[in-house]
Amino acid sequence: MTTMTPEQAAWFAQTFERLVGNVGQAVLGKAPVVRLALTCMLAEGHLLLEDAPGTGKTMLARSIAASVQGSHNRIQFTPDLLPSDVTGVTIYDQNTHKFDFHPGPIFASIVLADEINRASPKTQSALLEVMEEGRVTVDGVAHGTGRPFMVLATQNPIEQAGTYRLPEAQLDRFLMKTSVGYPDHASTVEILSGAALKDRSTALQPIITTKAVTEMADLAANVHTDTAVLEYVSRLAEETRNAHEVRVGVSVRGALALVRCAKVWAAAHGRNYVLPDDIKELAQPVWCHRFVLDPEAEFAGARPDAVLSRIMADVAAPQERASA
């Protein structure tokens, strides 16, 4: 594997910042969340957003799609939504006497799966299968979703009646979990001043093409990760499994997810190597939703973020400069 060159890292960082700035024209005052979402896309993973309604989740998805010349679909999850409503279905064509596949809304560069916890477990599983495999298999024929492909799934933390909680094993398939949150005062005033423009993402100009997104993802995969950093991630993951507040800690999939994200994060900062600080910055959004807390500890007030913070304070990070 060829390591990313310093010149490629500089180009990556410049392009990443342009994307952040472009999306930030529509999603005001939320640069940290935008950075995480773009990191998730370039690490070729999926993002789970848990937020109250009206915080700009749809705007985030549309703005990212517009910035990379990608397609965008929104799926409103309801209890009566069927798996075929997400993935697509084959329909018999009387003219050709053949079954034709009609792709569902999952076939887009950026897919907003709104209120995923309102759909039945069967429909949730169909979505998560596509997320994991990157393709839909109908009647024995595989249909690829293409690249880039990112699902931004949302959960509403309120109004839990009639919802189906995502099982922990399925939560593990999301690369990151975060929240957009309400904008600050200045951003709110700016949003209100532009109330005549219903959708700010329509005014955005594309920064790069979807082909360039794929090239950036391939470049990020070649960022150097020193053995000392990998050992640090492994030790952290082991400690999450040994913590007395945790019933199920971070899996190997979770450890891999953190390394993948750290490579993109490093490239976004103009480096062709991962530092322990990259791991520290991304551990919370990549790992906290993967914890299954012990019920007694949870009842006593334990929280995944607090447990992870304590673990990271206890495990010493490597000191050497982990350059390529």
Side-chain angles (χ1 to χ4, degrees):
M1 183 181 290
T2 305
T3 304
M4 175 190 279
T5 66
E7 293 76 20
Q8 289 172 326
W11 171 82
F12 190 107
Q14 182 184 27
T15 307
F16 190 91
E17 285 305 314
R18 289 174 61 207
L19 286 170
V20 171
N22 202 54
V23 174
Q25 293 179 46
V27 186
L28 302 179
K30 293 296 174 183
V33 178
V34 173
R35 288 178 186 280
L36 286 178
L38 291 173
T39 298
C40 199
M41 177 181 69
L42 294 170
E44 299 193 294
H46 308 283
L47 181 64
L48 180 61
L49 297 170
E50 188 169 77
D51 244 323
T55 52
K57 299 181 290 292
T58 304
M59 186 70 69
L60 176 63
R62 285 178 178 167
S63 301
I64 293 174
S67 297
V68 300
Q69 283 188 345
S71 54
H72 166 263
N73 280 331
R74 180 178 180 273
I75 309 171
Q76 180 65 54
F77 279 69
T78 55
D80 59 348
L81 193 74
L82 298 174
S84 58
D85 294 331
V86 175
T87 60
V89 67
T90 53
I91 298 176
Y92 183 72
D93 190 326
Q94 291 184 335
N95 295 323
T96 61
H97 304 291
K98 293 181 180 178
F99 283 94
D100 293 332
F101 177 67
H102 291 247
I106 197 65
F107 287 88
S109 306
I110 309 294
V111 179
L112 180 72
D114 211 6
E115 294 191 286
I116 185 177
N117 54 335
R118 293 205 177 278
S120 68
K122 188 174 183 179
T123 303
Q124 289 178 5
S125 296
L127 172 70
L128 291 160
E129 184 180 358
V130 183
M131 288 165 50
E132 183 72 14
E133 303 294 334
R135 64 177 181 271
V136 172
T137 302
V138 179
D139 296 333
V141 180
H143 306 272
T145 55
R147 297 172 69 196
F149 170 58
M150 180 172 71
V151 172
L152 274 80
T154 74
Q155 285 191 133
N156 191 339
I158 59 174
E159 297 178 3
Q160 293 300 311
T163 62
Y164 301 86
R165 182 177 176 180
L166 284 175
E168 283 76 12
Q170 294 185 356
L171 279 172
D172 197 36
R173 297 184 185 278
F174 284 96
L175 194 67
M176 289 188 195
K177 179 184 176 185
T178 188
S179 63
V180 178
Y182 293 111
D184 58 27
H185 175 74
S187 298
T188 302
V189 172
E190 189 174 349
I191 292 169
L192 296 176
S193 68
L197 183 60
K198 188 176 180 180
D199 185 356
R200 287 175 173 267
S201 66
T202 57
L204 297 183
Q205 296 297 316
I207 299 298
I208 56 175
T209 62
T210 51
K211 182 181 178 182
V213 173
T214 303
E215 291 171 355
M216 289 178 75
D218 291 339
L219 269 179
N222 293 332
V223 169
H224 174 73
T225 311
D226 193 79
T227 304
V229 175
L230 297 178
E231 289 177 349
Y232 177 53
V233 173
S234 180
R235 287 198 305 273
L236 288 171
E238 288 168 7
E239 287 301 314
T240 67
R241 299 168 203 152
N242 296 330
H244 69 274
E245 306 99 326
V246 180
R247 177 183 286 182
V248 180
V250 173
S251 65
V252 176
R253 179 194 287 145
L256 282 167
L258 183 53
V259 172
R260 283 166 52 200
C261 290
K263 288 185 174 190
V264 176
W265 199 254
H269 287 80
R271 285 181 276 107
N272 62 345
Y273 54 90
V274 174
L275 290 177
D277 284 349
D278 300 325
I279 302 298
K280 293 177 182 178
E281 288 187 66
L282 294 170
Q284 296 275 358
V286 178
W287 275 6
C288 280
H289 66 286
R290 302 173 193 271
F291 285 10
V292 180
L293 294 178
D294 180 80
E296 290 185 9
E298 192 170 13
F299 183 75
R303 300 190 323 273
D305 56 338
V307 173
L308 184 56
S309 294
R310 175 179 59 76
I311 290 171
M312 298 195 74
D314 292 343
V315 177
Q319 297 299 315
E320 62 270 25
R321 181 181 174 87
S323 59

